[in-house]
């Protein structure tokens, strides 16, 4: 800011988002969306508001993790036999606590818990929802200050026993999103009418909308996958990588799905997690990683596949089911599919 004696102090909106017409918070975006549905009870808006609150708390924890000595392993394993980081446990508790108090939540399911947790069964008074999440995606990166994220998926609760009620295909998601705790904290959300992006302004504690109707570039010569596993990929994926390298592609891979997919959403390209010798059915989880990312990418005009099937059409058999993933720019996904034969 200028120190000139007569310079007028800059207003908040001039400093931060001078080029935008409206200063819109996530909260006001949610209210505006809800007003398009006259019968809306507000339950859904309350759930999104709980996710917003949770991710602000998690963002603050991530920022101060080293100072508060919450880096490293918690000394335990989750249901999938993976080492839990202290921050995995903290992020999970924050989400459970925030969502647990919201009336519209029937069930929550997390990467960190074996079974869905019943918050309340449908009572006949208004709609109820199932909220699924990966509380801290890429948490093995946390000690290195690399980006980590939270991924969430929201389904309608249509009654029945929790284990079965939650096993709905991704096409039935009513909303999906993620938060990337990176150089800034970014929330990307779809409620099935396009994709919006928000950035957390920590000085006012609010997510501000920075993009609406976001579209993924249709093509970009970038692929994102763990090439260390290349020798155990099926031949089709290896042929695709040969082709991409002969055609001037670059590679970008951080090992945090949220960060890698966010990059592709903004810049274009394709994200792959093929079947490997170690993970023949893929590593990523269908219900709270691949499905929400698939919905976002499709809503932004891209494609999301599990081998040759649309991810959102895969009928889940178990909550923690794994899947292979190919998602991103339409033309780039097509190049991969073509090589799979
Ligand atoms: P996590 O949810 O336990 O962190 O695991 C999922 C992560 C993804 O973020 C990332 O795409 C992938 O695992 C990386 O796996 P790999 O190290 O095998 O490349
Ligand atoms: Mg994950």
């Amino acid at each position: 800011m200028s120190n000139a004696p007569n310079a007028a102090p800059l207003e908040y909106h001039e400093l931060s988002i001078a080029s935008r017409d409206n200063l819109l918070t996530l909260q006001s975006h949610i209210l505006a969306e809800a007003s398009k549905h006259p019968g809306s009870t507000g339950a859904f808006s309350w759930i999104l508001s709980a996710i917003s609150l949770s991710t602000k708390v998690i963002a603050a924890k991530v920022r101060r993790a080293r100072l508060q000595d919450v880096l490293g392993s918690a000394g335990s394993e989750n249901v999938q036999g993976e080492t839990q980081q202290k921050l995995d446990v903290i992020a999970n508790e924050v989400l459970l606590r925030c969502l647990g108090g919201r009336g519209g939540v029937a069930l929550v399911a997390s990467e960190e818990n074996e079974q869905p947790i019943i918050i309340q069964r449908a009572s006949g008074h208004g709609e109820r929802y199932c909220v699924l999440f990966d509380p801290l995606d890429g948490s093995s990166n946390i000690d290195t200050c690399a980006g980590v994220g939270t991924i969430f998926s929201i389904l309608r609760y249509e009654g029945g026993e929790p284990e079965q009620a939650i096993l709905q295909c991704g096409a039935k998601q009513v909303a999906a999103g993620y938060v990337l705790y990176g150089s800034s904290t970014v929330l990307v959300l779809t409620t099935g009418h396009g994709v919006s992006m928000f950035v957390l302004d920590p000085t006012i504690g609010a997510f501000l909308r920075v993009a609406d109707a976001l579209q993924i570039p249709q093509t970009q010569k970038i692929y994102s996958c763990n090439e260390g596993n290349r020798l155990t990929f099926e031949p089709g994926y290896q042929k695709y990588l040969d082709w991409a390298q002969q055609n001037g592609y670059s590679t970008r891979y951080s090992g945090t799905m949220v960060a890698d997919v966010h990059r592709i959403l903004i810049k274009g390209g394709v994200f792959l997690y093929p079947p490997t010798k170690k993970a023949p059915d893929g590593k990523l989880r269908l219900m709270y990683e691949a499905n929400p990312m698939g919905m976002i990418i499709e809503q932004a005009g891209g494609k999301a596949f599990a081998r040759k099937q649309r991810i959102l059409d895969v009928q889940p058999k178990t909550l923690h089911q794994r899947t292979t993933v190919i998602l991103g720019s339409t033309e780039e996904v097509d190049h991969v599919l073509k090589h799979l034969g």
Side-chain angles (χ1 to χ4, degrees):
M1 254 198 279
S2 165
N3 289 326
N6 294 326
L10 287 171
E11 294 295 331
Y12 174 81
H13 64 278
E14 290 170 327
L15 280 170
S16 306
I17 49 172
S19 60
R20 295 178 213 294
D21 298 331
N22 296 311
L23 185 61
L24 202 68
T25 62
L26 173 63
Q27 220 60 23
S28 34
H29 173 89
I30 294 170
L31 287 174
E33 289 286 302
S35 68
K36 292 179 194 161
H37 305 278
S40 158
T41 60
F44 183 63
S45 307
W46 274 109
I47 292 172
L48 290 177
S49 130
I51 291 172
S52 160
L53 175 60
S54 313
T55 57
K56 285 181 207 170
V57 174
I58 297 168
K61 299 271 182 206
V62 167
R63 296 267 171 267
R64 304 189 67 211
R66 185 166 289 279
L67 301 174
Q68 294 188 330
D69 193 26
V70 286
L71 290 178
S73 159
S76 50
E77 286 186 348
N78 67 13
V79 54
Q80 293 153 79
E82 297 159 340
T83 304
Q84 283 183 308
Q85 305 293 312
K86 289 179 194 165
L87 273 173
D88 281 325
V89 177
I90 293 170
N92 196 40
E93 279 172 7
V94 169
L95 278 153
L96 291 176
R97 203 165 149 202
C98 290
L99 285 162
R102 304 288 160 124
V105 183
L107 303 171
V108 293
S110 163
E111 178 182 331
E112 304 301 331
N113 300 103
E114 184 168 3
Q115 299 292 338
I117 297 167
I118 302 167
I119 305 296
Q120 55 183 301
R121 286 176 190 269
S123 64
H125 304 297
E127 305 227 286
R128 296 285 185 277
Y129 296 89
C130 311
V131 186
L132 296 86
F133 49 83
D134 177 355
L136 203 64
D137 178 58
S139 57
S140 62
N141 271 335
I142 191 85
D143 290 6
T144 66
C145 231
V148 291
T150 296
I151 314 174
F152 59 91
S153 161
I154 304 179
L155 296 160
R156 241 177 260 288
Y157 175 64
E158 290 163 346
E161 290 309 308
E163 294 77 9
Q164 291 308 315
I166 219 153
L167 297 180
Q168 303 177 36
C169 66
K172 295 184 97 176
Q173 292 172 106
V174 292
Y178 62 78
V179 176
L180 170 60
Y181 312 106
S183 57
S184 58
T185 299
V186 176
L187 186 149
V188 171
L189 174 69
T190 180
T191 55
H193 308 283
V195 177
S196 303
M197 181 162 83
F198 306 82
V199 172
L200 178 64
D201 183 338
T203 63
I204 60 165
F207 281 106
L208 299 179
R209 196 170 78 185
V210 293
D212 205 23
L214 201 64
Q215 287 288 301
I216 184 172
Q218 288 300 293
T219 179
Q220 182 63 254
K221 289 186 166 190
I222 290 175
Y223 65 85
S224 180
C225 77
N226 185 343
E227 265 189 287
N229 295 323
R230 180 183 176 130
L231 293 181
T232 76
F233 289 168
E234 288 172 2
Y237 292 96
Q238 299 201 32
K239 277 188 219 148
Y240 164 74
L241 291 173
D242 289 341
W243 172 87
Q245 288 166 7
Q246 284 153 14
N247 283 277
Y249 276 60
S250 289
T251 182
R252 296 284 184 274
Y253 189 73
S254 73
T256 294
M257 187 192 200
V258 174
D260 291 324
V261 172
H262 185 65
R263 187 177 203 289
I264 278 166
L265 177 68
I266 303 301
K267 298 209 167 205
V270 62
F271 173 89
L272 309 169
Y273 209 108
T276 63
K277 191 174 173 197
K278 197 170 150 204
D281 297 320
K283 175 184 176 184
L284 299 172
R285 273 54 58 117
L286 173 65
M287 297 209 66
Y288 42 81
E289 292 180 322
N291 274 344
M293 291 308 197
M295 182 177 183
I296 290 165
I297 291 293
E298 281 197 4
Q299 285 289 319
K303 285 185 173 179
F305 277 73
R307 283 204 169 93
K308 302 195 98 178
Q309 184 179 15
R310 181 185 175 226
I311 285 177
L312 300 189
D313 288 337
V314 177
Q315 177 58 49
K317 295 188 180 68
T318 60
L319 170 60
H320 299 291
Q321 180 170 330
R322 303 203 182 233
T323 181
T324 62
V325 173
I326 307 164
L327 60 76
S329 301
T330 301
E331 288 185 26
E332 303 306 334
V333 170
D334 286 345
H335 285 308
V336 181
L337 295 179
K338 208 170 60 197
H339 284 87
L340 296 189

